[in-house]
Amino acid sequence: MTPSADLPLTIAICSNRPDSLPGAIARTTPTMGPRDRLLIIADMPAQHLPTLTQDAWPSPSRFRVICNETNQGLAHSRNKAMKEATTRHIVFLDDDITPTAHALKQMRDALTAGAHITGTRITAHLQGHHRPWFLTSGQLHYLGSHTPARPASIWGGSFAIDVEHAHLLGVGFDERLGRIGRSLTSAEDTTFVREMTERGATTVILHDAEVRHLIPAHRLTLSYLLRRAYWQGRSEVRRRDVRHGIAKEWNRNRSGDGAHLIRAALAVLYTTSVLLGVCHEVLVQRGRESRGAGAA
């Protein structure tokens, strides 16, 4: 047995979607090691929890569900998972990810070797649906999935952290970011990775380890993707990275596959939606500042 095989992990699934939890548990438990624990942070009242079939669970001592009681957001749930985990290392998996034993082993190996953060490649699985013309590989990041032809980066759908080191560096997830309710706010994961890295944490990207992201049909619509781009713009303002964020979105959107004219048109369309989100968030923040100054 290799040293990494004995490293216990807490597999944390943070979700505000009751219907997604049974499937997430069923997909995750077969990939777990004998010393791993499964932690569900349900971002909802306890009465909204679905009936969870115990046949799919690990033993009771290795399985725990915590309810936030109200929807407090993905970043809040991730921070709670860091506080409640009983192991030094956490693997965060989204509730629509299909992990593999190989991916978990690769993350376990990287953590054993000293990585403070590690993440896998995330591949979009359209579940038999046709990819529409307005979704090139340049927009796959709006679906939380990596472009097949480009290097991966560490994203929140499938990544692991050394909790003790994060606490040592004083880094947590920014609760102004991440999904809250019906909003599509994002970037709590990449902001966390950036802050850890800036403080000297070691990151390892596992380009050869892959998990699948199950994409439902309602996300394969132009309205959803434009809304997702809009919220990306609002997220860039909240994390004070507007200039770099807009350039990043433009470059991603025009880098997709397909005909040049279509790629260029889609880059303009999606980046315009990002800019609308930026403008809206700036106005919202200025309004709050004005009200605060008036109250003072």
Side-chain angles (χ1 to χ4, degrees):
M1 180 179 292
T2 62
S4 67
D6 199 42
L7 182 74
L9 302 173
T10 294
I11 315 296
I13 300 175
C14 304
S15 175
N16 66 355
R17 301 184 292 188
D19 293 344
S20 297
L21 283 175
I25 294 170
R27 290 190 300 272
T28 302
T29 51
T31 68
M32 293 171 57
R35 299 182 63 204
D36 294 342
R37 293 164 173 79
L38 182 60
L39 174 62
I40 305 296
I41 306 293
D43 199 21
M44 64 190 79
Q47 61 265 31
H48 291 175
L49 275 175
T51 301
L52 302 175
T53 305
Q54 297 191 20
D55 292 343
W57 296 4
S59 64
S61 63
R62 298 171 54 215
F63 180 82
R64 187 180 180 194
V65 178
I66 299 175
C67 289
N68 289 340
E69 295 306 331
T70 58
N71 182 238
Q72 299 188 49
L74 179 56
H76 176 87
S77 295
R78 293 195 195 276
N79 284 331
K80 179 170 283 191
M82 289 175 64
K83 293 176 183 177
E84 299 291 340
T86 57
T87 63
R88 174 172 176 170
H89 301 96
I90 291 181
V91 175
F92 284 106
L93 295 175
D94 281 357
D95 62 12
D96 48 11
I97 289 290
T98 301
T100 66
H102 173 72
L104 284 180
K105 178 185 181 302
Q106 293 288 88
M107 285 193 276
R108 206 185 306 267
D109 288 347
L111 294 167
T112 301
H116 302 124
I117 313 170
T118 184
T120 68
R121 177 175 289 280
I122 303 172
T123 300
H125 180 48
L126 304 188
Q127 305 183 81
H129 300 296
H130 176 70
R131 192 176 85 174
W133 66 269
F134 49 78
L135 174 60
T136 74
S137 58
Q139 287 78 50
L140 286 176
H141 64 290
Y142 294 137
L143 299 176
S145 304
H146 292 108
T147 302
R150 302 186 68 181
S153 53
I154 298 176
W155 288 350
S158 173
F159 80 126
I161 64 172
D162 180 333
V163 178
E164 287 187 12
H165 199 74
H167 289 327
L168 178 67
L169 297 179
V171 179
F173 292 92
D174 187 337
E175 297 191 9
R176 298 169 303 167
L177 302 170
R179 302 289 191 273
I180 303 175
R182 292 180 59 82
S183 80
L184 296 178
T185 320
S186 60
E188 89 293 339
D189 50 353
T190 52
T191 302
F192 175 90
V193 173
R194 182 179 67 185
E195 291 180 358
M196 288 282 287
T197 304
E198 287 174 350
R199 288 165 171 77
T202 301
T203 62
V204 174
I205 303 173
L206 302 169
H207 297 285
D208 297 328
E210 179 179 302
V211 300
R212 294 193 304 174
H213 189 181
L214 304 177
I215 310 298
H218 77 269
R219 293 187 182 179
L220 300 176
T221 62
L222 185 58
S223 60
Y224 174 87
L225 292 167
L226 289 175
R227 183 166 166 256
R228 174 65 182 81
Y230 160 84
W231 278 102
Q232 183 70 38
R234 297 194 66 171
S235 301
E236 299 296 350
V237 177
R238 293 183 187 184
R239 67 174 182 164
R240 300 180 179 88
D241 200 20
V242 174
R243 181 175 298 181
H244 174 263
I246 292 172
K248 173 194 66 181
E249 292 303 304
W250 169 255
N251 289 329
R252 281 176 170 174
N253 281 315
R254 68 181 182 141
S255 68
D257 49 9
H260 174 74
L261 287 178
I262 292 178
R263 286 189 286 114
L266 291 177
V268 171
L269 179 63
Y270 285 108
T271 308
T272 298
S273 194
V274 172
L275 288 169
L276 288 173
V278 167
C279 294
H280 189 177
E281 186 64 25
V282 169
L283 291 174
V284 168
Q285 292 191 10
R286 287 180 179 176
R288 288 174 183 161
E289 292 169 1
S290 297
R291 290 192 295 272

